[in-house]
Amino acid sequence: MSKAFTRENDGDDDDLPEGVAPIPKGSPNYITPAGFARLQAELRELTRVERPKVVEVVSWAAGNGDRSENGDYIYGKKRLREIDRRIRFLTKRVEAARVVDPAAQTNRDQVFFGATVTYATSKGIQRTITIVGIDEADMTKGRVSWIAPIARALMKAAEGDEVPFRAPGGPETLEVVEISYIPVD
């Protein structure tokens, strides 16, 4: 069989937007209720509002004759491909989602998914992060993905625990100062 008809990978990551981490194989897509609602809202907006508008423009442009120089048609088809790619991505993420509500956490003495953790570095710098789903990570808001190295290092730690962390600048020891479970907006 020709190489042209074989697939190099399983295709799961084909629809990943740039800069978005794939879900580790065999792991569910852990996500907070607010993050899940945002994914569903975006998917609903694309399928019910944006895509039908673009389809209407493309069908109108196709009826105008020569498609090779028809900007509305060319741009519309390109935009339709982008929307369809995003819909496929969102559909996969929503189907794989396992909603975890931080407020429902019963063991609040340890760090788990959804925890807001304040930790101190060996240099005395304190930082606060919230451990969230892959699709919710945003360092500007202090939200770190559960697959991030810092989150993995802090998992299952309790207040007062010192955990080793392999930072880019070298080995580091982090002390867990405070753990709380508040709803993520």
Side-chain angles (χ1 to χ4, degrees):
M1 180 181 284
S2 169
K3 275 185 116 176
F5 296 105
T6 60
R7 205 172 235 186
E8 294 293 322
N9 62 16
D10 62 1
D12 286 346
D13 299 337
D14 291 348
D15 298 325
L16 281 177
E18 196 171 313
V20 175
I23 301 168
K25 295 276 186 216
S27 296
N29 182 20
Y30 293 113
I31 192 164
T32 63
F36 187 67
R38 278 192 294 277
L39 286 182
Q40 286 182 315
E42 183 182 355
L43 182 58
R44 194 172 23 258
E45 174 73 16
L46 287 173
T47 56
R48 294 183 182 167
V49 178
E50 194 163 343
R51 191 175 193 287
K53 283 181 185 176
V54 175
V55 167
E56 186 178 325
V57 169
V58 168
S59 64
W60 168 81
N64 288 340
D66 185 15
R67 296 177 186 172
S68 64
E69 294 181 13
N70 187 332
D72 287 329
Y73 180 80
I74 294 168
Y75 173 76
K77 291 294 281 185
K78 181 179 183 227
R79 181 67 185 130
L80 201 55
R81 283 190 300 274
E82 292 167 357
I83 291 170
D84 288 343
R85 185 177 306 116
R86 184 68 180 168
I87 288 172
R88 279 191 308 274
F89 169 76
L90 290 171
T91 301
K92 286 179 187 177
R93 290 294 177 126
V94 166
E95 287 173 355
R98 182 172 301 162
V99 180
V100 179
D101 189 357
Q105 178 60 256
T106 56
N107 186 357
R108 294 173 174 259
D109 296 335
Q110 287 183 295
V111 177
F112 294 106
F113 181 87
T116 299
V117 183
T118 301
Y119 65 89
T121 64
S122 56
K123 296 174 185 150
I125 300 169
Q126 282 197 1
R127 292 198 176 103
T128 301
I129 61 168
T130 302
I131 301 172
V132 296
I134 296 168
D135 300 312
E136 303 171 276
D138 183 356
M139 276 308 295
T140 61
K141 295 180 181 178
R143 295 181 182 160
V144 177
S145 167
W146 64 273
I147 63 168
I150 187 83
R152 288 181 179 235
L154 292 170
M155 283 292 180
K156 297 185 181 177
E159 285 183 17
D161 284 357
E162 291 187 356
V163 295
F165 174 60
R166 293 176 59 175
E172 181 87 43
T173 300
L174 307 176
E175 180 184 352
V176 179
V177 177
E178 183 182 1
I179 301 168
S180 62
Y181 287 89
I182 53 176
V184 179
D185 59 351

